[in-house]
Amino acid sequence: MDLVDRWAALSGPHTRHIGTELDRRYGEPHRRYHTRAHLTAVLDLVDELAGYAEDPDAVRIAAWFHDAVYDPERADNEERSARLAARMLADTDLPEAVVARVVRLVELTATHAPDEGDRDGQVLCDADLAVLGAEPEDYAAYAAAVREEYAFVPDEFFRAGRAEVLGGLLALPRLFHTPAARERFEERARANMRTELLLLNA
């Protein structure tokens, strides 16, 4: 099943045009990590963790929109993605409450800090950050792809900014919130990020 078919199966064939537009966005040529492959990986993990969510379909729709707007030269991509979700989903038969839930979830990916009782937010954030807990060679490929997306930033500034991001993540009491993702990814994610930090500071 290709991505557009996957969207239509989730949201109905009458919304296929939305899936087509989202698929086009994830295929934009400036993307190196935030691509269709990333979207597919997030959707697959949301499916795996769906039993933990309160509204798994809302989480799936939010996953589709979470990086729909991606410009590495801007800091408001999540906010703009959430606005796009609100605008595009307003033309569907989704209830307003579900659209609002989706918009909130997309906004949450700016911080990846869901509340303790926010099961939907925990599933989406865990799925989005799962790459941190990938096998070391896959993590290295992810880090290289992120660097390519920020090719316009000189090395000195990129290393400082990336180290700040990694340091902030490592300072969190936990990176993953659902029990399954925490058991599967937490330890390796911290090891991966510590290794990347060592390389950045070498």
Side-chain angles (χ1 to χ4, degrees):
M1 184 183 295
D2 73 8
L3 275 170
V4 179
D5 288 341
R6 192 167 180 172
W7 167 268
L10 170 64
S11 299
H14 57 291
T15 70
R16 190 175 184 87
H17 62 288
I18 295 176
T20 300
E21 170 62 14
L22 291 171
D23 178 66
R24 182 195 67 77
R25 287 172 173 271
Y26 283 93
E28 290 167 339
H30 67 276
R31 296 176 184 244
R32 294 294 182 272
Y33 170 67
H34 296 87
T35 60
R36 293 181 178 109
H38 169 62
L39 172 61
T40 299
V42 172
L43 290 170
D44 287 349
L45 196 53
V46 168
D47 284 348
E48 286 185 41
L49 299 173
Y52 189 82
E54 292 179 1
D55 188 345
D57 280 349
V59 180
R60 291 182 177 101
I61 295 170
W64 270 92
F65 279 97
H66 84 286
D67 285 325
V69 178
Y70 184 70
D71 179 351
E73 298 193 44
R74 297 187 60 141
D76 60 349
N77 289 306
E78 293 84 4
E79 179 186 332
R80 293 166 72 210
S81 294
R83 288 202 303 268
L84 180 71
R87 189 166 68 247
M88 294 184 83
L89 295 175
D91 291 333
T92 70
D93 55 6
L94 276 179
E96 283 185 23
V98 175
V99 175
R101 196 172 302 146
V102 169
V103 169
R104 180 190 71 79
L105 289 169
V106 175
E107 291 173 339
L108 185 60
T109 62
T111 61
H112 296 102
D115 291 338
E116 193 66 36
D118 181 8
R119 286 184 165 234
D120 292 338
Q122 290 174 4
V123 168
L124 181 60
C125 290
D126 283 4
D128 193 26
L129 291 185
V131 67
L132 299 178
E135 294 292 339
E137 60 271 21
D138 294 326
Y139 181 91
Y142 144 74
V146 169
R147 181 65 185 105
E148 285 183 41
E149 288 184 337
Y150 286 88
F152 59 91
V153 179
D155 276 346
E156 175 186 356
F157 296 109
F158 178 82
R159 284 198 302 268
R162 181 71 178 164
E164 184 177 347
V165 168
L166 294 172
L169 288 168
L170 284 166
L172 294 173
R174 62 185 185 188
L175 296 163
F176 297 95
H177 304 273
T178 63
R182 193 157 61 245
E183 180 179 348
R184 181 173 167 187
F185 300 121
E186 184 84 25
E187 186 176 338
R188 191 161 58 218
R190 291 186 179 276
N192 283 335
M193 289 191 292
R194 284 194 294 267
T195 298
E196 187 184 355
L197 263 180
L198 284 172
L199 293 172
L200 287 169
N201 294 324

